[in-house]
Amino acid sequence: MSLLVIGTLAYDTVETAHASRDRALGGSAVYFAVAAATSCQPRLVGVVGDDFQQEHLDDLTSRGVDCSGVERAEGKTFAWGGRYEPDWNTRHTTFTDLNVFEHFDPKVPESFTDSPFVFLANAHPAIQLKGLKQVTGKRFAVADTMNLWIDIARDELVELLGHVDGLILNDEEARMLTGLDNLHLAAEKVLEMGPRYVILKKGEHGAFLLGEGLHFALPAFPVTEVVDPTGAGDSFAGGFMGAIAQADSIDHDVLKRAMLHGTVTASFCVQGFSIEDLGQRGADDLQARYEQLRSICTV
Ligand code: AMP
């Protein structure tokens, strides 16, 4: 079934303790779409500037991503910079140039409005809600967010939470949003704010899903050669939502399997800059790691 993503297409400048990349293809919706494309044909809504290379759109299209909702505006593409500490857990945002994304007014093409599965990738919560309201066919909508929006757009984020079925966020964001240090209490408080499910990511310590009587936790896949963690959250979400769209169900067993899919998808993402590793992976690679993860965490 159809899966729609609304979010950023970007050029990222990333520095790690070992290497760096200048203006590599990135963006929350790009990572999500590339990740989801191994299980379905995601529909993408976003905006790029006149500097965005056509070959990047062609590459997404060749992966089965429907880019007819990507608008080209006058000006520069959203650009973001990040620097990682050697332990990978601490990321400093070095710059966020919103550029054409500053005035982004999401327009979901008529042909996308019947999408049952929707992912609102990281963006200002007012933009996320504006996009979501156009998807009349939505059955299961999940949003991502980040510390920036919790800080400067909390009211809009709280409003958005009344309209989505799920929220994906990391440990630091959960603590910031709820004011609670205990992550399970924080997750429960997020559920009180509206969504039926919350997925709380803990970086290299894995993730858990809570809601509707389901509590499911997973470790991260043990990756020994991390190159760049940028996009791990978005590719987790792409693997997770892609598996749900493919199964056309949100039964609890499907949600659990989708958590495994998200986890292994993210593990490929961190093995390269941009989509250099993730973009090479097919269903067979994912399945092999899926089985490995399953054997790691079950008896
Ligand atoms: P992640 O590592 O999963 O948090 O995602 C990193 C991606 O999100 C990068 O490719 C950035 O281009 C993009 N990004 C960073 N900050 C923002 C923001 N404020 N709004 C939307 N996308 C962002």
Side-chain angles (χ1 to χ4, degrees), residues 105-149:
D105 182 13
K107 287 175 207 76
V108 177
E110 183 63 37
S111 58
F112 287 4
T113 57
D114 62 353
S115 308
F117 300 103
V118 183
F119 184 68
L120 305 168
N122 192 6
H124 191 293
I127 294 179
Q128 291 176 303
L129 186 56
K130 205 163 176 190
L132 179 64
K133 283 188 169 166
Q134 298 169 49
V135 193
T136 46
K138 76 111 180 154
R139 282 177 14 222
F140 187 68
V142 173
D144 185 16
T145 194
M146 72 181 295
N147 47 9
L148 174 69
W149 312 122

Side-chain angles (χ1 to χ4, degrees), residues 118-120 128-129 132 138-144 157-168 190-191 193-197:
V118 183
F119 184 68
L120 305 168
Q128 291 176 303
L129 186 56
L132 179 64
K138 76 111 180 154
R139 282 177 14 222
F140 187 68
V142 173
D144 185 16
L157 178 59
V158 169
E159 190 188 347
L160 174 73
L161 293 183
H163 294 266
V164 293
D165 302 281
L167 180 70
I168 299 192
V190 172
L191 295 177
M193 297 166 101
R196 297 153 61 197
Y197 295 99

